[in-house]
Amino acid sequence: MTQTANEFTTTIEHRASLNYLLYLPDDHERHDDWPLIVYLHGSGERGDDVDLVRVHGLPRLLDEGLMLPAVVVSPQCPSGQLWTRQLPAVKGLIDRLVLRHGVDPKRIAATGLSLGGAGACELVSLYPETFTALAPICGPWTRLFVTPETAKIDTWVFHGDADTVVPIQESQMFIDAIRAHGGSPRFTVYPGVGHNSWDPAYADEELLSWLTLRRRRS
């Protein structure tokens, strides 16, 4: 009995649902060229209570009064899951925001912390034509999502060198993989900082400006 080479083709459709937070600038209806920041949370905010997403990162800062010249969407990952299964739905949500909320499709950035840092990198690897910037913070496995296409995307990585949950070597290998493909990522290391490198990262006005000002070149 021998093995034969075959090909299988089919169309797969499934219904997807996501809880999410949405931030719109006060004057968003006056413009149709807003940047979009897609924020993916960490493992502790998974579930079916979307208010959990407000605990850390950009959603917390926006609740505290941060004003950004951008649309910010923060979806929620269900309990016990990685972001992987949710990313097609996240992409569908992005497409809807482009149509309904004046988002410039050439100004879409992804960021996330810890598990969401990995999720943001995987999201960009799946849809590299969609994104103009990527800012993962202390994400695991990020090197697995580097491709020649993603290496061309503006990337800024953040990590604390005292992180014992996700060692800084994870981000260093991500940086090295991007450089091996010809990319030029930025890498900010916080000396003495543990896993919570997202507080100093998102408090950095330069990062917030960087996320909103990136524009896809083609």
Side-chain angles (χ1 to χ4, degrees), residues 19-21 39-60 74-81 83 112-117 195 198 202:
N19 294 326
Y20 66 95
L21 300 175
Y39 165 84
L40 301 186
H41 63 72
S43 61
E45 292 78 67
R46 292 176 293 180
D48 56 10
D49 178 3
V50 74
D51 283 336
L52 290 173
V53 180
R54 303 177 186 273
V55 173
H56 295 299
L58 283 181
R60 179 178 68 82
S74 305
Q76 184 176 38
C77 186
S79 296
Q81 294 191 23
W83 276 107
L113 61 88
S114 195
L115 184 70
H195 191 47
W198 53 85
Y202 289 129

Side-chain angles (χ1 to χ4, degrees), residues 13-17 89:
E13 297 182 3
H14 71 279
R15 185 177 180 84
S17 178

Side-chain angles (χ1 to χ4, degrees), residues 21-37 62 65-73 97 100-104 107 208 212:
L21 300 175
L22 181 64
Y23 169 84
L24 299 173
D26 289 341
D27 58 346
H28 74 277
E29 293 181 351
R30 299 181 184 179
H31 303 276
D32 59 2
D33 59 350
W34 291 106
L36 171 65
I37 300 173
L62 291 169
L66 174 67
M67 299 180 70
L68 285 176
V71 175
V72 182
V73 64
L97 294 173
R100 295 189 177 183
H101 292 291
V103 169
D104 184 342
R107 303 176 70 191
L208 299 181
T212 60

Side-chain angles (χ1 to χ4, degrees), residues 116-134:
C121 294
E122 187 173 7
L123 178 65
V124 170
S125 75
L126 287 173
Y127 310 104
E129 71 286 349
T130 297
F131 293 93
T132 186
L134 170 64

Side-chain angles (χ1 to χ4, degrees), residues 144-161:
L144 301 178
F145 309 119
V146 178
T147 67
E149 291 76 23
T150 62
K152 299 175 184 176
I153 294 170
D154 290 342
T155 300
W156 191 354
V157 184
F158 298 80
H159 217 120
D161 69 2

Side-chain angles (χ1 to χ4, degrees), residues 170-203:
E170 291 282 341
S171 285
Q172 184 62 62
M173 288 187 287
F174 178 59
I175 291 289
D176 293 343
I178 294 174
R179 289 174 176 163
H181 284 289
S184 301
R186 297 176 65 175
F187 191 16
T188 295
V189 176
Y190 295 114
V193 172
H195 191 47
N196 182 359
S197 49
W198 53 85
D199 276 355
Y202 289 129

